Amino acid sequence: MSQVDTDQADAPARGAEPGADQAEDKGAAPRGAWARLRGAVPPRIAAMLVGALLLQLGFVLSYVGAFHHPQPHRIPIAVAAPERMAPGVVEKLNGIPGHPLKATATDEATARERLRTGETSGALIVKPGSRTDTLLVTGAGGASTATALETVIEKAEKTRSRTASVVDAVPAQAGDARGLSSFYLVVGWTVGGYLFAALLGVSLGARPATARGAGRRLLAAVPYAVLSGLGGAAIVGPLLGALSGHFLALSAIGALVVFGAAAMTIAFQVLFGVLGIGVTVLLFVVLGNPSAGGAYGPELLPPFWRALSPALPNGAATHAVRHVMYFAGHGITANLAVLTAYALGGALVSVLGVALIRRRRAAGAASG
C-alpha cells in the first residue's frame, strides 16, 4: 500500500475522532482510549515498535550477559620444564577448579615459537634452580586474556611456594592501547557495510524487485567495500599510528568484512523486507560485537558467546586482524573462510531469494 493509500485509509478514523472525544466527555469506558490508540498506530508499525523493543532488550541482555562476570576458560599455555617436573606442573595447572587453563608440556624453544605464531596465549618457563619462574604472555593478543593468565598463574605459583616474573613477549604497538584497535576497526567496517545496504534499501525499496536489481546492489557494494577497507587501514595506520604496517593485508580484510556485511544485509532485506535491517543489527551488533573478543577475549566469555566468536564475522575478522598485525598471519585461514562464506552466502541468498519470491508470486497470480 502506498503512502497515499495509507493516509486515505487512516482518514475515516481521524474524521471520527471528534465523536470519540464527545463520547469520552459523556463518560465512555476507558477502553475507548485504547481503541483510539490502536487506530492511531497501524498493526504493522506496532509490530515494528515491538521488534525494536525486543532488539533493545536483547542488546542489554547480550552485552551485560557477556561482560558482567568474565571468567577464564581453558586459556592455552605452554609449560617448559625439566622432564621430571613437567607432568606434575601440567597436571596441577589443568586441575585448577573451573579449568581456567589448558596447559601442555613442551620445550622452551617450542613454547616461544607458539607464542610468536599466536598458537598459545602464554608460556610458563619453570626454573628448577630458582624459586622464580618466568611467565611469557602476548599483550597483543588481548590485554584481558594476558591479565587473566597472570592472575591464575600467580595463584597457582603460590600453592607451590614459587613466584613468576611476567614478560610480555608479543606486546601491542604503542598506539594500540590494550590491543583493542583491531576490534574497533572491525566494528567500523561492519557498521559501514550494513549502513550502506540499509541506505540503499531506504532509497530504492527494502526488497529488490528483481534478481538483476539485487545484483546491481551487490555490485555497487564492491567499490564501497574496497574504499572502506583502504580508508580504515589508512586511519589506523598512517593517520593514527594505532596499527602500523601490513596496509594492503588490512585493506583486503576490511573490503571482505564490509562487502560481507552489506551482502548479508541485502539478503535479510530480501527475506524479511524492512525488518531485515533489524535482523542485521541482531547478528552484527547484538550478537557479533560482544562475542568478537574486544573488551574480553573469547576465553573469558560465557559458553554461548565463546562459541559464537569464531563463527560470526566480527570475531573472525578481529582475530584475523590481530594475527596479521602481530603473529605474521598465522592461523587466519579459518577466519578468512568464515568471512568469505558470509560474503558469498549473502550474495547468493540475495539473488536467488528475489528470483524465488518472484516465481512464487507469479505462480500464485496464475493460479488465482
Side-chain angles (χ1 to χ4, degrees):
M1 179 180 293
S2 68
Q3 183 62 44
V4 173
D5 294 334
T6 301
D7 292 340
Q8 291 173 348
D10 288 341
R14 287 196 293 267
E17 284 183 6
D21 290 339
Q22 294 170 5
E24 186 173 328
D25 292 338
K26 294 178 181 179
R31 64 186 296 271
W34 173 246
R36 289 171 55 203
L37 178 62
R38 286 193 304 171
V41 181
R44 181 170 177 270
I45 301 300
M48 293 176 63
L49 294 176
V50 171
L53 175 62
L54 293 176
L55 200 62
Q56 170 194 341
L57 296 179
F59 183 97
V60 175
L61 174 63
S62 185
Y63 278 70
V64 177
F67 299 150
H68 79 289
H69 188 54
Q71 290 290 327
H73 178 77
R74 297 179 66 81
I75 299 176
I77 180 172
V79 176
E83 189 173 349
R84 60 183 175 81
M85 297 177 61
V89 175
V90 169
E91 183 179 0
K92 288 184 178 180
L93 294 179
N94 286 335
I96 297 174
H99 305 289
L101 303 178
K102 181 181 179 181
T104 55
T106 185
D107 58 85
E108 182 173 346
T110 302
R112 291 181 179 275
E113 177 64 16
R114 289 180 182 176
L115 281 173
R116 188 185 68 81
T117 59
E119 295 178 47
T120 186
S121 297
L124 181 62
I125 313 299
V126 178
K127 302 177 180 179
S130 170
R131 286 288 181 183
T132 301
D133 300 325
T134 300
L135 174 63
L136 305 177
V137 298
T138 57
S144 61
T145 301
T147 301
L149 189 57
E150 293 175 29
T151 301
V152 173
I153 290 298
E154 180 182 349
K155 293 180 179 179
E157 290 284 85
K158 284 183 179 180
T159 64
R160 300 168 54 227
S161 300
R162 302 179 67 83
T163 60
S165 62
V166 180
V167 176
D168 193 343
V170 187
Q173 294 183 16
D176 185 14
R178 297 183 62 80
L180 289 174
S181 297
S182 55
F183 167 67
Y184 289 115
L185 175 61
V186 170
V187 169
W189 279 332
T190 54
V191 168
Y194 68 70
L195 278 181
F196 171 82
L199 289 174
L200 283 183
V202 170
S203 302
L204 305 175
R207 181 178 288 132
T210 64
R212 181 174 295 179
R216 284 196 293 265
R217 296 191 188 190
L218 292 168
L219 285 176
V222 173
Y224 179 87
V226 171
L227 291 175
S228 297
L230 291 169
I235 290 172
V236 300
L239 182 59
L240 298 179
L243 296 173
S244 299
H246 306 285
F247 178 83
L248 291 180
L250 282 187
S251 300
I253 293 173
L256 187 56
V257 171
V258 174
F259 180 81
M264 289 301 301
T265 304
I266 294 171
F268 287 141
Q269 288 176 319
V270 167
L271 296 177
F272 307 110
V274 69
L275 295 180
I277 297 176
V279 179
T280 301
V281 173
L282 175 65
L283 178 69
F284 289 106
V285 179
V286 175
L287 297 176
N289 283 346
S291 64
Y296 293 104
E299 303 89 351
L300 275 67
L301 299 177
F304 175 75
W305 290 269
R306 187 167 61 243
L308 284 180
S309 185
L312 294 182
N314 311 57
T318 298
H319 184 274
V321 170
R322 279 178 175 161
H323 278 239
V324 164
M325 292 304 306
Y326 296 114
F327 303 105
H330 289 280
I332 68 170
T333 301
N335 304 139
L336 296 180
V338 168
L339 297 176
T340 302
Y342 276 92
L344 293 179
L348 286 174
V349 170
S350 299
V351 175
L352 296 180
V354 171
L356 181 60
I357 290 172
R358 284 176 58 83
R359 184 177 301 175
R360 286 182 176 179
R361 286 178 176 174
S367 63

